[in-house]
Amino acid sequence: MTRAKARLLTLILPFGMAACSTGGSYPSLAIRDVERPSGTATAASGTQADAAPVLPPASADLVTRLAGLVKVAQDADTRFQSNRTAAERAVAAAGSAGSDSWSSATVALARLESSRSAAMTALAELDTLYADARDKAPLGESPTSQAIGDARSKVAALVNAQDQAINALSSRLRT
């Protein structure tokens, strides 16, 4: 160790170690009673979160897999539409930002957004399948990529309609 380093350590060490000292007038770093977990908390009431979508297995034949992905998206759209009415009512009744009614509307909007997650997952899977199919036949659209593209278009239409509904409600809530 060089003299400069040794000198630096003798200057810094007493100050850096002071907080870890158990003596003196420094507070203890031990857990205090108020920091210990206590009390009885209960979960907020509401609906349970939707389970993750069960996508068709990758080994399924293409037609079955595509039909399964479209079905997942359609089921998500059904959940979305059932939550949409409640979100529209909550947004229409929302008061100023920060009020209870505004908070309820943001929760309803979040629930609406969440209900479409399975459709987004199906669309992402279709995007991947389409990209892989186009990689295998880059010069022209093969029957495989065309079938995937058709399924993707159906799911994308559902997701786009959901996006428009969410954007319309979000813009009304901000004002």
Side-chain angles (χ1 to χ4, degrees):
M1 181 180 310
T2 65
R3 280 186 149 168
K5 284 185 183 177
R7 176 76 178 131
L8 185 60
L9 284 176
T10 59
L11 292 174
I12 294 175
L13 196 55
F15 297 108
M17 297 300 288
C20 296
S21 172
T22 57
S25 61
Y26 300 107
S28 169
L29 297 177
I31 294 177
R32 298 174 293 176
D33 288 337
V34 297
E35 296 172 323
R36 297 184 196 287
S38 64
T40 56
T42 57
S45 62
T47 59
Q48 292 291 333
D50 292 332
V54 179
L55 299 178
S59 61
D61 72 305
L62 183 64
V63 173
T64 303
R65 186 162 174 78
L66 295 177
L69 290 169
V70 170
K71 174 87 170 94
V72 165
Q74 289 169 337
D75 291 346
D77 189 58
T78 301
R79 283 189 302 277
F80 180 87
Q81 297 305 330
S82 69
N83 289 329
R84 184 176 179 175
T85 305
E88 287 172 342
R89 270 189 257 130
V91 167
S96 61
S99 67
D100 286 344
S101 60
W102 181 85
S103 296
S104 295
T106 59
V107 169
L109 193 56
R111 185 174 292 126
L112 184 65
E113 290 176 354
S114 176
S115 67
R116 73 190 195 122
S117 64
M120 299 293 288
T121 302
L123 183 59
E125 182 69 19
L126 288 165
D127 284 344
T128 301
L129 288 172
Y130 186 73
D132 290 345
R134 291 299 297 193
D135 260 354
K136 291 177 183 170
L139 299 178
E141 190 162 49
S142 67
T144 298
S145 63
Q146 188 172 7
I148 297 168
D150 292 343
R152 189 195 174 286
S153 294
K154 290 176 188 173
V155 174
L158 292 174
V159 170
N160 287 338
Q162 293 167 357
D163 283 341
Q164 290 174 356
I166 288 170
N167 290 338
L169 290 172
S170 293
S171 66
R172 285 179 29 205
L173 186 60
R174 289 188 187 122
T175 57

